[in-house]
Amino acid sequence: MAMSISLSVLDLVPVRTGQTSADAVAASLALAERADELGFTRYWFAEHHNMPAVASTTPPVLIAAAAARTRRIRVGSGGVMLPNHSPLIVAEQFAALEAIAPGRIDLGIGRAPGSDPVITQLLHRSGTTSDVERFPDHIRDILALTSDDGATVQFSSGGTYTVRATPAATGTPEVWLLGSSDYSAQLAAASGLPYVFANHFSGEGLDRALRLYREQYRPSAAHPEPRTFVTANAVVAPTADQAWARALPQVRMMARLRTGRPLVALETVEEARDAEASDGLAAPFADWARSSWFLGTPADAASALRAFAAEHGVDEIMISPVAGAFAAEPQDLPLGRVQTLELLSAELAA
């Protein structure tokens, strides 16, 4: 039986204590395979830099690996942080991915750097990047470069030159605009593009952003109607206590981010439990996590997800399965995250 709500996955490729980057990537690819088997709609990789707990630094590389390991699920970026990259390089990478997995590639694009100011400067020094102030222009450039006609460069002398992201495309990646602000919602609406609100990080401004997007939407040839979905964190387990235990490492990580504390690899469930007993780091954020995440038993999480989708008028939710791992669990198999996908999809299909 099909799920009543379409589910997708957002993956940051978490790295826990004692885990190598190779194991973390292997675990995420195993999760992508399982999502494919379970009938999830899409699987996206985020872009973050220089974080001990996040191995998702290069979405195109991870997308290619996931495409090779899956059969039907759409794979993509959630998102490529465009200020870090040349629009032409992004267009070429995703045109190549479309050739690898025709009809299955999503190009989610964001305006944030996905890094701290030092890393942003390093990216500017070590590679070709783009001017964040020209973000709308670069979105249009990517759309043109990946189209059949390509983009036309106008020389000051009056001549023109056609540039294509790939010589003979048979399809194009589907472009989505990502954001968590009025700006991103309005730009997506003005551009006639699908829009994703990054609710998994804070959730503030969600209702206003979706309203602005829908009210101001200008139909495009590819997308005559507004199209949107929302991201959210999820941890699902047989009991509520088990779900909270697996959620605690990520809650503590969010607490570190929001209080400016040094970042570390994601704690194991045992490490998080023991540390929380002594420092109470997650306590100020516990109510936020319990109220804004899909957290708990399959029945409770599915009920909350259905209500959330109805409230915001969406038929697809992209969950970030943030279940932590026990120390004895395999390094290359994310049992808690797999459990979240399996239990939630089974409950929604019931």
Side-chain angles (χ1 to χ4, degrees):
M1 184 182 298
M3 289 182 278
S4 56
I5 298 171
S6 294
L7 286 181
S8 294
V9 177
L10 175 64
D11 191 356
L12 277 66
V13 191
V15 184
R16 74 178 195 251
T17 301
Q19 191 180 35
T20 66
S21 296
D23 283 336
V25 170
S28 283
L29 293 179
L31 188 65
E33 285 187 277
R34 189 66 183 123
D36 189 33
E37 295 166 352
L38 290 169
F40 279 64
T41 300
R42 62 189 92 239
Y43 197 104
W44 284 6
F45 292 98
E47 178 186 337
H48 291 283
H49 301 281
N50 200 40
M51 298 179 69
V54 176
S56 185
T57 56
T58 54
V61 174
L62 296 168
I63 293 164
R69 295 273 291 269
T70 55
R71 295 181 299 105
R72 45 146 299 277
I73 195 169
R74 297 189 66 89
V75 287
S77 57
V80 164
M81 299 294 102
L82 190 52
N84 300 337
H85 310 282
S86 157
L88 174 59
I89 296 302
V90 172
E92 288 180 334
Q93 288 172 340
F94 279 80
L97 288 168
E98 177 67 23
I100 291 170
R104 290 207 289 139
I105 300 300
D106 291 334
L107 169 52
I109 301 175
R111 185 172 179 265
S115 59
D116 58 59
V118 174
I119 299 303
T120 298
Q121 289 301 313
L122 287 174
L123 287 166
H124 278 270
R125 283 168 48 188
S126 61
T128 304
T129 55
S130 60
D131 182 358
V132 69
E133 299 305 320
R134 294 191 59 210
F135 183 69
D137 294 334
H138 293 149
I139 295 292
R140 288 189 286 271
D141 289 344
I142 288 173
L143 290 169
L145 287 164
T146 55
S147 70
D148 290 341
D149 293 334
T152 300
V153 178
Q154 181 78 45
F155 296 114
S156 57
S157 61
T160 60
Y161 191 79
T162 300
V163 183
R164 292 182 176 85
T166 192
T170 56
T172 60
E174 185 168 75
V175 176
W176 292 74
L177 196 60
L178 281 58
S180 57
S181 67
D182 292 355
Y183 172 85
S184 59
Q186 291 173 308
L187 178 58
S191 305
L193 289 173
Y195 176 60
V196 181
F197 187 89
N199 180 70
H200 67 288
F201 189 72
S202 69
E204 296 180 3
L206 169 60
D207 291 326
R208 176 177 169 82
L210 293 185
R211 185 177 70 255
L212 286 172
Y213 173 66
R214 288 164 174 154
E215 289 177 352
Q216 299 182 15
Y217 189 77
R218 298 178 185 174
S220 62
H223 304 285
E225 301 290 337
R227 184 180 176 198
T228 186
F229 63 79
V230 179
T231 65
N233 294 314
V235 182
V236 184
T239 71
D241 286 345
Q242 290 171 346
W244 178 250
R246 286 197 181 271
L248 187 57
Q250 184 66 26
V251 179
R252 287 176 57 82
M253 181 60 63
M254 295 294 287
R256 285 183 176 276
L257 281 168
R258 296 190 176 195
T259 58
R261 301 196 184 195
L263 300 182
V264 298
L266 195 67
E267 295 165 323
T268 64
V269 172
E270 294 92 338
E271 288 173 331
R273 180 190 59 213
D274 294 345
E276 187 64 22
S278 62
D279 64 20
L281 177 63
F285 302 91
D287 288 344
W288 164 74
R290 292 181 188 276
S291 63
S292 62
W293 297 11
F294 300 125
L295 175 62
T297 65
D300 288 344
S303 176
L305 189 147
R306 289 189 180 100
F308 180 81
E311 178 184 357
H312 299 293
V314 296
D315 57 10
E316 179 178 346
I317 303 291
M318 176 170 277
I319 62 170
S320 180
V322 293
F326 288 90
E329 292 178 355
Q331 298 279 15
D332 58 354
L333 183 62
L335 297 180
R337 293 195 288 156
V338 168
Q339 182 182 66
T340 290
L341 300 194
E342 292 177 340
L343 293 178
L344 190 54
S345 61
E347 186 69 25
L348 287 172

